[in-house]
Amino acid sequence: MFNSSLTAEEKELYISKIGHMAYMGAPEVSRTAGTCLNEMMTLLKNKRTSESLKESLLMAISEICYLNRDNQSKAVAAFPTLVDIMGSERIHMSRLACYCISCIVCNNFAAMQTLRDEPNLRKNLAGCLSVEVPWFGWSENYAILLVDILGLSEDISELKFNN
């Protein structure tokens, strides 16, 4: 799908447009964009992918999965990568991963159950919550949202208390 002759900037633009069209378009557009998820998740997992391209991928995956159960079900496979990114020392990337995960689990109990089983989820969520920098520019603190919707308040409090 992503032509290897495209420059990094062209890939970023292409990925962003796919995400925006999925979010703004009709269900058919979102379904079509969902066919790109596997390749997007592979790029996201690739250690050689630039951080700016990863940002575009996180936003596009979020937009493609927003309230689309079929796409959410496909994106569950990215949970290990997303949870790793959530544990990043780069605050912006960590927050984008929280947002992306929240879009994947939104109104999807099966996805929530799968996410709860991720080995580093609690530790990385606790790390996101311990960052003192406010979530200015975000409509919500998605780390807190994830803790609440996953019912992890006690687990996270215990982690924060023991560190």
Side-chain angles (χ1 to χ4, degrees):
M1 180 186 94
F2 299 113
N3 186 330
S4 59
S5 67
L6 294 175
T7 67
E9 293 82 16
E10 289 170 329
K11 280 184 186 176
E12 284 180 42
L13 181 62
Y14 187 48
I15 288 166
S16 293
K17 285 185 177 189
I18 291 170
H20 295 333
M21 288 188 306
Y23 181 77
M24 301 296 286
E28 298 81 29
V29 177
S30 185
R31 235 184 332 275
T32 301
T35 63
C36 304
L37 278 172
N38 286 336
E39 192 165 349
M40 287 183 177
M41 292 184 297
T42 300
L43 276 171
L44 187 63
K45 192 181 339 183
N46 188 331
K47 301 285 186 212
R48 296 183 313 190
T49 302
S50 71
E51 189 163 314
S52 63
L53 183 54
K54 284 186 179 189
E55 285 181 23
S56 295
L57 287 162
L58 287 168
M59 288 306 301
I61 293 168
S62 302
E63 291 172 319
I64 291 168
C65 291
Y66 185 75
L67 298 178
N68 185 305
R69 188 169 300 268
D70 292 336
N71 291 343
Q72 289 170 334
S73 296
K74 292 176 190 174
V76 163
F79 280 162
T81 303
L82 293 169
V83 170
D84 285 347
I85 294 170
M86 187 192 312
S88 168
E89 292 181 10
R90 296 194 164 286
I91 294 170
H92 183 65
M93 291 298 287
S94 177
R95 290 178 178 179
L96 279 172
C98 286
Y99 175 71
C100 186
I101 291 169
S102 73
C103 289
I104 296 169
V105 300
C106 183
N107 296 324
N108 190 327
F109 186 72
M112 287 181 209
Q113 289 299 104
T114 302
L115 179 60
R116 284 180 59 92
D117 294 337
E118 277 302 313
N120 293 322
L121 175 68
R122 287 157 181 79
K123 177 182 70 112
N124 290 351
L125 262 176
C128 287
L129 293 170
S130 69
V131 175
E132 300 286 323
V133 181
W135 284 59
F136 291 129
W138 294 83
S139 61
E140 192 160 349
N141 181 326
Y142 289 96
I144 290 173
L145 176 83
L146 286 171
V147 168
D148 289 345
I149 66 173
L150 296 172
L152 298 175
S153 297
E154 289 181 19
D155 294 352
I156 299 299
S157 295
E158 188 176 303
L159 270 174
K160 289 171 88 175
F161 183 72
N162 289 332
N163 287 336

